[in-house]
Amino acid sequence: MSSAEAVIIPVGMSPVHCLRLARKFIDLDFSLIVLVVTKETSDFADSIISIQSGFEGKFVSVYVQDISDQIESRKDIHQWSVVFGPGTREMQISVWHDVILATGNSPKNWIDHRRKSQAGLKNISPEMLVNLSDGFKGHELGQVTKEDALAVNSI
């Protein structure tokens, strides 16, 4: 059996972006996608999981204060990753710290990246998910349909 990888995505107030990130990690064949939430963002995570219902068992929603328990309970996961970008900076650092405390190893670090025009008004490159732990290897993020965007925002 191959090494199981999990990614932790802090869910912020832009749930469509979190949905795009989650879908890319499905494409990258991650075994588990952990959506870390607060009281304010838990409904967004529930919507993402509902929209991705064909991938049951691949998603879990966890409150940020409970992430250590989730990490420690998943002995089947050999490599943890953390996405920096969505959620608050406090959530991101807390999750990164908790992975190190629970596993004794640093997680792989991922960011989303796009180049803007000099005026900063327009993207001049596709939005990429970049693995900083793997030589800055990038993966283009896909778009979501209008229907999925409305659903993830509970509209």
Side-chain angles (χ1 to χ4, degrees):
M1 186 168 113
S2 66
S3 179
E5 288 189 78
V7 63
I8 300 171
I9 303 173
V11 177
M13 299 306 288
S14 300
V16 172
H17 184 59
C18 294
L19 174 62
R20 293 173 65 214
L21 292 167
R23 285 181 172 170
K24 181 48 67 178
F25 283 107
I26 290 171
D27 292 347
L28 295 172
D29 203 29
F30 274 65
S31 303
L32 180 66
I33 299 167
V34 180
L35 302 174
V36 176
V37 299
T38 63
K39 185 175 69 169
E40 294 79 20
T41 63
S42 64
D43 288 344
F44 293 145
D46 293 342
S47 295
I48 291 169
I49 292 169
S50 175
I51 289 168
Q52 296 300 127
S53 62
F55 295 95
E56 290 178 29
K58 236 184 184 13
F59 284 90
V60 63
S61 174
V62 178
Y63 281 98
V64 68
Q65 64 268 21
D66 299 329
I67 191 63
S68 291
D69 294 336
Q70 177 67 30
I71 296 166
E72 290 170 0
S73 73
R74 295 303 303 251
K75 301 298 183 196
D76 58 316
I77 302 299
H78 300 287
Q79 178 63 58
W80 288 90
S81 292
V82 175
V83 178
F84 289 85
T88 65
R89 185 169 308 191
E90 182 180 306
M91 285 174 72
Q92 297 161 9
I93 298 301
S94 174
V95 165
W96 180 82
H97 180 259
D98 289 344
V99 170
I100 293 171
L101 284 179
T103 67
N105 296 309
S106 181
K108 288 185 179 179
N109 301 307
W110 296 76
I111 60 166
D112 65 327
H113 174 72
R114 63 188 153 267
R115 285 185 45 219
K116 293 208 178 264
S117 66
Q118 284 186 322
L121 303 174
K122 181 177 157 187
N123 290 340
I124 59 174
S125 70
E127 190 170 13
M128 304 292 283
L129 177 63
V130 179
N131 181 350
L132 297 177
S133 306
D134 189 20
F136 301 100
K137 184 176 181 181
H139 306 275
E140 188 172 341
L141 290 177
Q143 299 299 315
V144 299
T145 65
K146 179 180 175 182
E147 293 76 20
D148 284 348
L150 292 171
V152 80
N153 282 291
S154 300
I155 299 175

